[in-house]
Amino acid sequence: MTDTFTLYRGTAPLLVSLPHDGHVIPPEIAARMVESACVAPDTDWHVSRLYAFARELGASMLVPRYSRYVVDLNRPPDDTSLYPGQNTTGLCPTVQFCGQPVYRDGQAPSEDEVAQRVDRYWRPYHEALRSELDRLHAMHGRVVLLEGHSIKGDELPFLFEGRLPDLNLGTAGGASCSQQLQSALEGVLSAQQTYDWVVNGRFKGGYITRHYGEPARGIDAVQLEISQRVYMDEATFEYDQDKAANAQRVLAPLLQAALAGH
C-alpha cells in the first residue's frame, strides 16, 4: 500500500484496475469546491467491493484512494478528449456529471496545479499499473487488464441521453483486445437473461483501456461500465448486497472467460 493507491498482487494473468473507486478529497482542495461536489458524487461507488471476489480467482487488483475530482486516472496526462464532440469531464474535472460546477467561482486549479496533481496522484498509479502488467505478462506470456467502472445509469443528460444499458463493455472498437476475447465476453453476456448490455456503445473504453491494450503482444484490455442501479441504490450511494450478489453471478464468468485466455 502507498499513500495514493493499494495494489493487491495475484498470480493469475488478470489485473483488475478500478481507477474511479477512490473518494477521498484532500481538505485544501475540498475547501474550494461547491458543496455538492464535496461528497464526490461521481465516484464509481463500491466497485472494489463488487469485484473483491476476483482476488479469490488469483487476480491482481489496483485500487486508488483519491477521488477523480482530484485527478482522473483514466484520462491522458495531456487531457486530450477521449470522446471528441461529446460532453465529458477532464483530467482535473471542473464540471460534475450532472453539469454543475465542481469549484466555486475562480477556484478551479491552474495549469501548474494540474501538473502537480499529475505528478502526485496520476503517475504513481500508472507506474504501478504498468509494472504489474509487465510482471504478470512475464509470468504467463499473456495478461488481461479489466477496467472496472460504474456510473449512474439514468438521467445524466450531460453525458448521454436516456437510459444507459446495465452492462457496457468497451474494447476501443475492437482495438484493445483480441477478437477471440471479445467474442468470449460477448458470449457470457448473451448467455445471461438478467441484464441488458451493449459492446462499444457510449463508453468504448477510456485512456487506460486504449493506452495499455496491446493484443498483438498478448496484453488484452477491456472496460466494463456498470450502471449503478445493478448493484446499489443510486440515490443514497448505499451498496445493495442482494443486487450485488446477482451481478457477481455474471461478473464471475466474465472474469473466468478472461482467465481462460480466449
Side-chain angles (χ1 to χ4, degrees):
M1 180 176 178
T2 73
D3 177 50
T4 59
F5 65 85
T6 302
L7 172 62
Y8 302 96
R9 282 199 172 99
T11 57
L14 175 63
L15 171 58
V16 179
S17 165
L18 307 172
H20 296 150
D21 182 78
H23 63 272
V24 174
I25 302 173
E28 64 273 16
I29 296 177
R32 295 153 50 194
M33 290 181 170
V34 300
E35 184 176 356
S36 61
C38 290
V39 296
D42 300 331
T43 300
D44 291 11
W45 293 105
H46 312 297
V47 288
S48 58
R49 184 175 178 182
L50 184 66
Y51 281 99
F53 73 90
R55 295 175 60 197
E56 300 174 6
L57 300 176
S60 295
M61 185 175 291
L62 186 58
V63 185
R65 179 184 179 195
Y66 290 94
S67 168
R68 70 192 303 159
Y69 284 173
V70 178
V71 70
D72 193 328
L73 300 169
N74 200 30
R75 295 293 183 272
D78 63 0
D79 207 14
T80 300
S81 177
L82 298 171
Y83 295 95
Q86 295 178 306
N87 285 340
T88 185
T89 54
L91 180 61
C92 290
T94 57
V95 62
Q96 303 177 50
F97 287 173
C98 65
Q100 297 301 309
V102 171
Y103 293 92
R104 302 178 191 279
D105 289 345
Q107 296 297 307
S110 65
E111 290 186 8
D112 286 346
E113 183 180 351
V114 170
Q116 291 169 0
R117 293 192 198 179
V118 168
D119 286 339
R120 172 74 173 85
Y121 304 100
W122 190 96
R123 293 196 191 283
Y125 189 90
H126 283 267
E127 288 169 358
L129 196 160
R130 177 82 272 171
S131 177
E132 187 64 6
L133 278 180
D134 289 346
R135 183 182 76 87
L136 295 173
H137 186 268
M139 289 175 62
H140 300 279
R142 57 171 290 268
V143 62
V144 176
L145 170 62
L146 174 71
E147 276 284 291
H149 293 263
S150 74
I151 191 171
K152 185 177 180 182
D154 298 293
E155 299 179 5
L156 281 179
F158 179 74
L159 294 180
F160 54 82
E161 294 182 2
R163 175 188 180 277
L164 194 69
D166 296 324
L167 305 175
N168 303 263
L169 185 69
T171 66
S176 66
C177 76
S178 70
Q179 183 57 55
Q180 292 89 341
L181 177 58
Q182 180 170 322
S183 295
L185 298 177
E186 289 179 355
V188 173
L189 294 174
S190 295
Q192 58 81 39
Q193 303 296 319
T194 306
Y195 306 109
D196 59 348
W197 56 280
V198 68
V199 177
N200 292 315
R202 171 62 178 87
F203 297 101
K204 296 177 173 62
Y207 172 76
I208 293 176
T209 301
R210 303 182 198 196
H211 180 73
Y212 291 97
E214 297 181 84
R217 286 189 57 219
I219 302 176
D220 291 314
V222 298
Q223 174 177 296
L224 184 62
E225 186 87 56
I226 302 177
S227 292
Q228 290 176 343
R229 62 174 175 267
V230 166
Y231 69 94
M232 59 176 276
D233 186 315
E234 292 185 335
T236 65
F237 304 148
E238 291 296 323
Y239 191 77
D240 187 314
Q241 185 63 52
D242 292 335
K243 284 185 176 181
N246 288 333
Q248 288 165 341
R249 294 188 182 98
V250 176
L251 296 179
L254 283 172
L255 269 59
Q256 288 161 350
L259 286 168
H262 295 295

